[in-house]
Structure formats: structure tokens, C-alpha cells
């Protein structure tokens, strides 16, 4: 794909909303609240924000600048800047991550579709039943059906292209998502007893702090900010030279973190309010959104309406992130194999169905099939988030410091007379702290798998 016919965003707003759409997804609305609840609320939030303002900021600027400088997706960008086979492998790891994530992500997206549909037609008390979620995900046919529905939603937008598809959907969906989040937040925090949840979220309790708070917050940051997935390199290649990369990064971070906090404000105070202050409910983990929240909605006066709004919000967020993941893969196919958007999307659809079906059926007909003790969905999540993303981020740091040079990347950020206000912070982070952080995440994840430490 050459520079003349490569897609592009119409301007800064298109890029910011599309990048925010990539970042704001199940990572913020499903994953962040349950990790925040599990790892101490306020102390987890402080650690996450500090990491987002340093590590996250550095990696978003770096990846976006690499994409715009090379005008290529990850593989082409790494090859162009390094002309080194080992670094080329780093580009492929960046490119393969979204190809592996989007199938299992679409399975969870299918769960969200199912819940949204059920709230439209079913009584909230039925959905809150003890076995509703388990019965659904263990039913191979039903789980597969809703996974396919979600995948089709995503692929239709990808077929439409960058400005007509991704940007247009993001401009429409992201403002709606914010409005819905605020409405549900207001309802949640005004319930009797919810103030304890607000305090838990915002007032740090240092007795909850541990090294795993930091490691988990770092892992969540990859997931939440779409770092080391090839997405931001791909989106950077669509960014016009007159757009300020640093200003756009700040806006993406603010938007992304605000949605994560709003999601936590929706969920954590509601858990306190409707469980009589039982903190053990906060340890529900991944099931918090699909089991605990429906029970909370069922106990509300307008539970069904709140349920519809809540899962509509989650569905919007899930679709925008899945679009970004799929677009990154399709862009790589176009750049490296010279495939048309249509052919690349069809190939990605086949990969989504094959790998997604393994994750979808992994709780039902394939429940007994395990890889290193994990079901397919858990394995793909571990492989991408805890192993491949840290390696991809480390490769990006090495690419910039050893091959592209920090000075050349800074010059890219400063194009069109845009000042690089946090240049010193960026330089220190990319050379020293970012590589250290990703090694810590990678080692912690491996030790966790072998039971040496517990996450």
C-alpha cells in the first residue's frame, strides 16, 4: 500500500476519537473495575494513573510517531527503521498480537451482545439468576452464535475503511458512550450505601499495596491503552503531519483513564450499595460484570432500563476496540502481502471464526481441552497480554534507542512546529524505565504460571 492510496484520518479529532475508541473497550469497562476492586481500589488507581502518565504516555507517543514516520503498519515500520532480522521479528510480534486477541475478545463481545439482547426482552430477575451466565457460556451453540453476531458487527465497519468506517463509527459512538457512562455513574453513586464504594475507589489504603498491585496495574495499562498491539503504529500511519502527536496522546490518555474511572464508579459503589457493604463481593473478578452487576440491576427499581443502558455502553466500547484490533491486522495484510482491504478482511474473518470458536467452545464442548492448565480463552489472554505484549514493547524501545534514534523520533513529534513539552521525560522513560517495566511484567507472568508467585 503506497502513500498515495493509504487511508487516513480526516484530522486530529478523527485520530483522537479513533485511538480513544481503540483504547476504551472491555479493558476499561470490564477488566479495569474488577482489577481495581480486587487490588485495593484507591491505591491501585493511583499506581495506574502514575504509570499511565509516564510509561503509557511514552509508549503511545513512540508508537504513533513510528507509524507516522514510516507510513507503515508494524512489520514494515520495524523493517524500514532497523533493516535487522531480529528487529523484524519484533514487528511481526506486534502485528500478530491483535490477530490473536480479536478472536477471544469477540467471544466476550458476544457475551455482551447476549446480555444486551436479553435485557431488551427479558425480566431483570431472570438474567440475575444464579446459573444464567454459566448456562449460557457452557451452551456451545448459543455462545458460538453470539460470538458470530459480534464478529459480523466488527467486520462490516472494517470493510467500510478508515475515514468512512473506523472514524465515522468512533465519532458517533464515543460521545454516546460518555453520556451513558455518566448517567449510570450518577445513578450508581446516589444509591444508599454507595458512598463507601466511592471512598474505597478514591481514598488509597496503603495496607492493600503490594508488588502485585504495580505488576497488575502495568499489565492492565497495556490492555487499556492499546500499547504494544500494533494498533497505535497502524493508526499513526494514518495521522497527517499537521496533527500534534503529543497533544493527541494527552487527550487519548485523559479520555481512556476517565472512562476507566467512570466504569469503576458505575460498578464499585453499586456493589457496596446492593451488597450491604460486603467487600468480599469485590473479589468476584472477571464475573463481576456478568454475574454481580445483573444481581445489582435486579434489585434496582429501574433495573431493566439500567441493564439495557449499561450493556449498550459496554457493547459500544467493545465494538470500537475490536474494530481497532482488526484494522491493525488488515493493515498488516495489505502492507506485507499486498492484499486488498476486502481480501484482508475476509482472511481475518476466517481467523476470527477458527480461533474464536476455540475460545467460545472452551467453556462448553471443549472444556476438557487445556493448554498449560488453561482453557483456550484464558490461554490466549495470557499469551498475548502477559508474554507477547511485554516482548513487543521491549522491541519498540530497542527499535527507537538503537536504530531509529530518540532524536529522530523527537523530530517526528515536533513536525509542523509542534513543541515536544515532555521531551526529557520521554527520553528517560524510553531509554531506561520502560524496558525495566516490561521485563518485570514478563518475569512476573512467567513466575505466576509456574506457581512461584500468585497474581
Amino acid at each position: 500500500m503506497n502513500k498515495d492510496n493509504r487511508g487516513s484520518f480526516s484530522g486530529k479529532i478523527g485520530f483522537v476519537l479513533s485511538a480513544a475508541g481503540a483504547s476504551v473497550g472491555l479493558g476499561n469497562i470490564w477488566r479495569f473495575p474488577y482489577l481495581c476492586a480486587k487490588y485495593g481500589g484507591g491505591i491501585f488507581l493511583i499506581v495506574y494513573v502514575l504509570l499511565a502518565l509516564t510509561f503509557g504516555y511514552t509508549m503511545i507517543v513512540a508508537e504513533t510517531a513510528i507509524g507516522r514516520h514510516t507510513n507503515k503498519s508494524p512489520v514494515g515500520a520495524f523493517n524500514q527503521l532497523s533493516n535487522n532480522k531480529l528487529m523484524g521479528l519484533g514487528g511481526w510480534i506486534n502485528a500478530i498480537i491483535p490477530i490473536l486477541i480479536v478472536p477471544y475478545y469477540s467471544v466476550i463481545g458476544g457475551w455482551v451482545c447476549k446480555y444486551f439482547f436479553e435485557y431488551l426482552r427479558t425480566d431483570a430477575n431472570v438474567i440475575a439468576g444464579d446459573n444464567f451466565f454459566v448456562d449460557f457460556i457452557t451452551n456451545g451453540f448459543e455462545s458460538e452464535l453470539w460470538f458470530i453476531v459480534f464478529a459480523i458487527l466488527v467486520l462490516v465497519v472494517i470493510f467500510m475503511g478508515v475515514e468512512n468506517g473506523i472514524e465515522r463509527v468512533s465519532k458517533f459512538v464515543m460521545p454516546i458512550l460518555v453520556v451513558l457512562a455518566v448517567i449510570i455513574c450518577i445513578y450508581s453513586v446516589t444509591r444508599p450505601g454507595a458512598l463507601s464504594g466511592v471512598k474505597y475507589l478514591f481514598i488509597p489504603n496503603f495496607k492493600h499495596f503490594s508488588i502485585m498491585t504495580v505488576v497488575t496495574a502495568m499489565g492492565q495499562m497495556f490492555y487499556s491503552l492499546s500499547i504494544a498491539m500494533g494498533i497505535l503504529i497502524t493508526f499513526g500511519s494514518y495521522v497527517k503531519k499537521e496533527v500534534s502527536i503529543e497533544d493527541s496522546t494527552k487527550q487519548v490518555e485523559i479520555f481512556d483513564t476517565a472512562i476507566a474511572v467512570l466504569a469503576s464508579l458505575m460498578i464499585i459503589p453499586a456493589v457496596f450499595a446492593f451488597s450491604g457493604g460486603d467487600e468480599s463481593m469485590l473479589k468476584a473478578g472477571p464475573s463481576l460484570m456478568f454475574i454481580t452487576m445483573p444481581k445489582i440491576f435486579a434489585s434496582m427499581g429501574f433495573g431493566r432500563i439500567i441493564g439495557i443502558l449499561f450493556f449498550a455502553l459496554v457493547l459500544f466500547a467493545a465494538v470500537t476496540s475490536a474494530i481497532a484490533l482488526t484494522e491493525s491486522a488488515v493493515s498488516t495484510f495489505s502492507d506485507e502481502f499486498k492484499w486488498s482491504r476486502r481480501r484482508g478482511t475476509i482472511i481475518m474473518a476466517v481467523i476470527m471464526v477458527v480461533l474464536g470458536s476455540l475460545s467460545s467452545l472452551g467453556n462448553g464442548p471443549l472444556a476438557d481441552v487445556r493448554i498449560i492448565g488453561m482453557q483456550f480463552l484464558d490461554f490466549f489472554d495470557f499469551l498475548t497480554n502477559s508474554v507477547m505484549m511485554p516482548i513487543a514493547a521491549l522491541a519498540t524501545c530497542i527499535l527507537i534507542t538503537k536504530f531509529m534514534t530518540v532524536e529522530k523520533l523527537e523530530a517526528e513529534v515536533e513536525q509542523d512546529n509542534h513543541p515536544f513539552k515532555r521531551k526529557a521525560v520521554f527520553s528517560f522513560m524510553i531509554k531506561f524505565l520502560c524496558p525495566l517495566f516490561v521485563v518485570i511484567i514478563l518475569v512476573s507472568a512467567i513466575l505466576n504460571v509456574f506457581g512461584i508467585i500468585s497474581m
Side-chain angles (χ1 to χ4, degrees), residues 388-436:
M388 293 178 72
M389 283 188 212
I391 293 172
L394 184 61
T396 301
C397 293
I398 295 169
L399 178 72
I400 292 166
T401 54
K402 302 297 182 188
F403 296 93
M404 180 181 184
T405 73
V406 174
E407 292 73 24
K408 191 175 285 186
L409 188 136
E410 289 170 348
E412 179 64 40
V413 175
E414 292 172 333
Q415 280 215 45
D416 211 45
N417 296 316
H418 290 296
F420 194 175
K421 304 180 190 74
R422 296 172 66 189
K423 187 189 291 188
V425 173
F426 175 86
S427 180
F428 181 71
M429 289 296 300
I430 202 75
K431 289 176 181 175
F432 305 108
L433 286 189
C434 287
L436 175 64

Side-chain angles (χ1 to χ4, degrees), residues 8-22 162-163 165-172 174 235 238-240 243 248 251-252:
S8 67
F9 295 118
S10 61
K12 180 180 175 180
I13 295 298
F15 168 65
V16 168
L17 288 177
S18 297
V162 177
E163 190 172 332
I166 299 161
E167 182 178 332
R168 185 174 292 174
V169 169
S170 296
K171 279 183 174 178
F172 173 71
M174 298 313 290
F235 277 19
Y238 302 147
V239 173
K240 294 175 180 176
V243 173
S248 299
Q251 287 164 359
V252 169

Side-chain angles (χ1 to χ4, degrees), residues 211-238:
I211 187 63
M212 290 318 301
T213 306
V214 179
V215 171
T216 306
M218 278 197 278
Q220 170 60 22
M221 189 178 51
F222 277 94
Y223 207 105
S224 195
L225 293 173
S226 297
I227 295 167
M229 298 184 187
I231 291 172
L232 292 170
I233 295 177
T234 300
F235 277 19
S237 71
Y238 302 147

